[in-house]
Amino acid sequence: MSADMMRAVVQDGFGGPQVLRVQQVARPVPLPTEVLVRVHAAGINPVDWKTRGGTGMAGLLGEPPFTLGWDVSGVVEEVGFGVTTLKAGDEVYGMPWFPRVANAYAEYVTAPARQFARKPAALDHVHAAAVPLAALTAWQALVDTAHVRAGQRVLVTAAAGGVGHFAVQFARHLGAHVIATASAARHTWLEELGAYETIDYTTTRFEDATADVDVVIDLVGDAHDSTSTRSLKVLRPGGLLVAIPAGVSPELAQAAETAGVRVTPFLVEPDGAALTTIADLIDAGHVAVEVEDTFPLERADAAHARGESGRTRGKLVLTVDN
């Protein structure tokens, strides 16, 4: 393979995991203020398989062909003119360009230097690649959107997933009383991460098991058993529902107004500064990163099939042998 080419996972159309295939594409070149990162690992998120199938960010990306993925961990190979925060050889991680195309399922990516941060020293590239999108979603929802304070009660739905397991830990770090929904098999683990209460969603409706909640971080949405609408029932007056997977429908907004609570949509943004703070928390031992399994770049289809099963603990990651 020539030096100006690289391997990347490309899809030529929308569909199931089988549309993902590895091919040779042109290696990107960093523009001024950008860095070229040699990717060691790429995290997989639900938005990836939703977009692959034609929903998720597909409306923004347009028609294929394109390369999926936003989570990367790797090494800076080259810096563009004007970059002062990073240099060649730095180990970095980030969520570049989201929600635009970032091409993370590839051997190299380019993006603005300030969309990356130095990789947590305590993590290898596989675990670092599992962090950015999920952790930034949890951090920005709790800190920047909900402004969670010590002593507040925070409910996290789907707490055992990628975003969920970070949300539990960040909320606990902020001093909140954390309530988590997950299957019973995940309860001990979530309690170790910081959940004070756990609710088995397979046997108990959370609105029957908790109340007087200040903030709900809903990672399920109304498409699954009306979870967002049901979340309104557990909020205390003036409480806030952060509706992450599907946003806020007019019906949900009206129901929240009627109930005397607040609701907001949410979409994560690239944030190198927040990733630096998160790396410090990880290196200090305050936050653990769960990776359930890894797949080589050539098995991105199998990784998507696993993720879509909906039973993943933590994250799935692609490894890039370059």
Side-chain angles (χ1 to χ4, degrees):
M1 182 175 63
S2 64
D4 59 353
M5 300 295 288
M6 69 175 185
R7 293 178 301 137
V9 176
V10 178
Q11 65 178 86
D12 292 320
F14 296 117
Q18 71 279 359
V19 303
L20 302 176
R21 59 187 179 84
V22 172
Q23 69 178 52
Q24 298 291 320
V25 301
R27 194 173 96 171
V29 176
L31 298 174
T33 75
E34 292 185 347
V35 293
L36 173 70
V37 174
R38 178 162 49 92
V39 179
H40 285 259
I44 297 172
N45 297 284
V47 68
D48 298 10
W49 58 75
K50 292 176 183 178
T51 302
R52 185 210 70 225
T55 59
M57 295 299 129
L60 293 174
L61 272 57
E63 292 293 320
F66 52 68
T67 293
L68 287 171
W70 287 275
D71 275 343
V72 298
S73 182
V75 178
V76 175
E77 186 91 352
E78 182 182 344
V79 300
F81 174 79
V83 174
T84 60
T85 57
L86 297 171
K87 64 183 185 304
D90 284 345
E91 293 188 317
V92 296
Y93 76 143
M95 185 198 71
W97 294 119
F98 189 85
R100 292 180 288 170
V101 174
N103 303 306
Y105 293 6
E107 290 184 301
Y108 293 89
V109 299
T110 54
R114 293 178 187 270
Q115 293 186 1
F116 292 97
R118 285 178 173 78
K119 178 182 74 65
L123 299 183
D124 57 21
H125 285 292
V126 165
H127 285 79
V131 174
L133 191 148
L136 283 175
T137 298
W139 184 264
Q140 292 173 6
L142 289 161
V143 175
D144 301 331
T145 303
H147 307 292
V148 168
R149 304 184 305 277
Q152 289 189 314
R153 290 168 58 81
V154 175
L155 170 65
V156 180
T157 65
V163 176
H165 87 290
F166 286 118
V168 167
Q169 295 178 86
F170 292 155
R172 176 64 179 270
H173 175 72
L174 294 168
H177 178 98
V178 185
I179 307 150
T181 71
S183 62
R186 312 293 198 204
H187 286 188
T188 299
W189 171 58
L190 287 170
E191 289 161 3
E192 292 170 352
L193 294 183
Y196 287 93
E197 300 177 41
T198 48
I199 301 169
D200 183 356
Y201 72 92
T202 68
T203 62
T204 305
R205 295 177 75 80
F206 60 79
E207 65 268 34
D208 296 332
T210 193
D212 295 323
V213 171
D214 294 284
V215 176
V216 176
I217 304 297
D218 178 28
L219 303 171
V220 179
D222 264 344
H224 299 277
D225 200 20
S226 302
T227 301
S228 291
T229 298
R230 290 166 48 214
S231 296
L232 302 178
K233 300 178 181 179
V234 307
L235 286 168
R236 61 181 45 169
L240 176 65
L241 164 64
V242 184
I244 293 178
V248 179
S249 67
E251 294 78 12
L252 181 61
Q254 181 58 56
E257 183 177 355
T258 300
V261 299
R262 297 171 296 145
V263 60
T264 183
F266 177 87
L267 188 63
V268 67
E269 303 175 58
D271 191 343
L275 284 175
T276 296
T277 299
I278 291 167
D280 289 342
L281 290 174
I282 291 170
D283 285 338
H286 298 308
V287 174
V289 181
E290 184 76 9
V291 173
E292 180 173 276
D293 206 352
T294 62
F295 299 79
L297 197 64
E298 289 77 10
R299 296 193 63 219
D301 56 347
H304 273 225
R306 170 76 75 82
E308 287 182 284
S309 72
R311 295 292 182 267
T312 303
R313 169 170 153 164
K315 294 290 295 291
L316 302 172
V317 175
L318 294 177
T319 56
V320 184
D321 180 11
N322 53 11

